[in-house]
Amino acid sequence: MAEFTRTDRRSTRRDDSQSRDARPRRNYGERGSDRRRSYDSDTDRVERHERHRRKPEDREYRSKQRSQERSRSPDRSQLRRHSRSPPPKRRRHSESRSRSPPPSRRSRAPLPSQDASFRGGKEVANTDGPPVEKQKPNYKPTGLLAKEANTVAGTTTVLKYHEPPEARKPPARERWRMYVFKQKDLMDTIYLHQRSAWLMGRDEKVTDYLLEHPSASKQHAVIQFRHRTTTDEFGDKTNKVKPYLIDLDSANGTKLNGKKIGASRYVELVDGDVVAFGDSEREYVMMLPPPEGKKADASAED
């Protein structure tokens, strides 16, 4: 086959144009002019393509230029060394792409009861009975500190009673006394005004006054003087120290004027009251003698 060169194409085009000019022209109208324009545009496109076609020499020169530019430009590894930011870490693909576990199959078994789900899946054996009440916290004092504070020095005995903050010793003009009678015989006299409190019982190491009867407890009762403030109907306040009787949860109780009093409660004593401890026949009579000045006045009148 003969090579189709650019000169041949031009020569053929010239021949075609000469032959075209030699022929008689016909008026094809607008349709003919459109055909001629499209033919001319095709020929111009082919010529433009041939004009910009590269030669093999230009290709070699262009490849040398690119290799020189690559040698001058810095390597990618050097750029990574000088960069401050660390190289991106490659993510390791796990076997399972999704982190969430596969959905579990729904069982057709009946749902557990509400009580069982509340208790962590444990079924209660007897659900028909009443619910078990939880033990509530107890914030009451245990008495351990009071036990250590009320221990008598030199003994292991713990006192049942300790004096209140309003405890007072009676004034000197009020000389309270307690007379001990066995039937009609005077057995003893207790001078109550000498102390603020008197502990009665069978324990010799702890008590202030010894009760010898076996029905009496080791720490049976206490006679306590307390400071009290009273207000009359006119609003006048009076301060006074009065004697009170308290039973210390004794086994056989304490009687006042023949009646048994409640345990761990203060009961006021007045002049002429009769106290009895346990089943003892002895009677303890409260007496408040008049002051010494009034005694002298009463003797002078007689």
Side-chain angles (χ1 to χ4, degrees):
M1 289 178 68
E3 292 182 1
F4 187 80
T5 58
R6 192 178 296 175
T7 54
D8 296 336
R9 286 180 180 177
R10 288 178 181 175
S11 61
T12 53
R13 287 172 187 165
R14 287 175 184 173
D15 296 339
D16 293 338
S17 62
Q18 288 176 3
S19 61
R20 231 180 268 149
D21 296 336
R23 290 176 186 178
R25 293 183 179 179
R26 294 179 182 179
N27 187 11
Y28 294 99
E30 294 179 358
R31 191 174 294 177
S33 61
D34 291 340
R35 287 178 184 176
R36 189 170 183 178
R37 284 174 189 169
S38 63
Y39 178 76
D40 293 343
S41 62
D42 291 340
T43 53
D44 293 342
R45 197 180 303 159
V46 172
E47 288 180 1
R48 200 180 302 121
H49 179 70
E50 290 295 335
R51 200 180 300 155
H52 294 286
R53 200 171 182 182
R54 292 178 182 177
K55 297 179 181 180
E57 296 176 359
D58 297 340
R59 291 177 186 173
E60 291 177 2
Y61 176 75
R62 191 66 181 168
S63 62
K64 285 181 183 180
Q65 232 176 10
R66 287 177 181 172
S67 62
Q68 287 178 1
E69 287 177 0
R70 286 176 184 175
S71 62
R72 289 176 187 174
S73 62
D75 200 2
R76 287 186 178 180
S77 61
Q78 292 179 359
L79 289 172
R80 284 180 183 175
R81 287 177 188 174
H82 292 293
S83 62
R84 294 181 182 178
S85 59
K89 293 182 180 179
R90 293 183 179 179
R91 295 182 180 177
R92 295 181 180 179
H93 295 283
S94 58
E95 295 180 0
S96 62
R97 293 183 180 180
S98 62
R99 296 182 181 178
S100 59
S104 58
R105 294 182 180 178
R106 292 184 179 179
S107 63
R108 297 182 179 180
L111 295 174
S113 61
Q114 189 175 4
D115 194 8
S117 60
F118 177 74
R119 296 177 183 274
K122 296 180 181 179
E123 289 286 346
V124 183
N126 187 12
T127 56
D128 298 335
V132 180
E133 293 183 0
K134 294 183 180 180
Q135 187 177 3
K136 296 180 180 180
N138 185 11
Y139 298 106
K140 294 181 180 179
T142 57
L144 295 176
L145 295 175
K147 185 177 179 181
E148 294 180 0
N150 292 338
T151 305
V152 180
T155 62
T156 57
T157 307
V158 179
L159 291 174
K160 283 183 169 183
Y161 177 81
H162 59 278
E163 294 189 64
E166 68 271 11
R168 298 287 187 276
K169 191 176 177 181
R173 68 177 179 273
E174 296 179 0
R175 296 180 176 271
W176 283 93
R177 296 175 187 178
M178 181 175 276
Y179 296 99
V180 183
F181 289 93
K182 187 175 182 181
Q183 294 181 358
K184 293 181 180 180
D185 298 331
L186 180 61
M187 305 299 296
D188 195 6
T189 303
I190 307 170
Y191 298 96
L192 298 176
H193 65 276
Q194 294 178 356
R195 295 184 181 183
S196 61
W198 288 80
L199 177 60
M200 309 287 189
R202 278 191 304 110
D203 195 348
E204 296 180 359
K205 298 178 181 178
V206 176
T207 57
D208 300 318
Y209 187 83
L210 181 63
L211 300 177
E212 297 178 358
H213 200 272
S215 64
S217 301
K218 291 182 178 181
Q219 300 178 39
H220 196 98
V222 175
I223 297 173
Q224 177 71 58
F225 286 94
R226 301 168 65 195
H227 178 267
R228 308 296 292 172
T229 303
T230 57
T231 307
D232 58 6
E233 55 184 1
F234 302 104
D236 298 332
K237 293 182 180 180
T238 56
N239 299 321
K240 201 170 185 180
V241 178
K242 297 180 180 181
Y244 288 85
L245 177 65
I246 181 171
D247 183 76
L248 303 178
D249 293 324
S250 60
N252 298 310
T254 305
K255 295 177 183 179
L256 177 62
N257 299 326
K259 294 182 180 180
K260 196 173 182 179
I261 64 173
S264 303
R265 293 182 65 182
Y266 286 109
V267 180
E268 186 180 352
L269 296 174
V270 296
D271 187 14
D273 284 344
V274 180
V275 182
F277 302 103
D279 298 332
S280 177
E281 294 180 357
R282 295 190 179 187
E283 295 178 346
Y284 300 80
V285 182
M286 291 289 298
M287 293 293 291
L288 179 60
E292 295 179 357
K294 288 188 178 180
K295 268 188 181 180
D297 297 339
S299 62
E301 286 178 3
D302 295 337

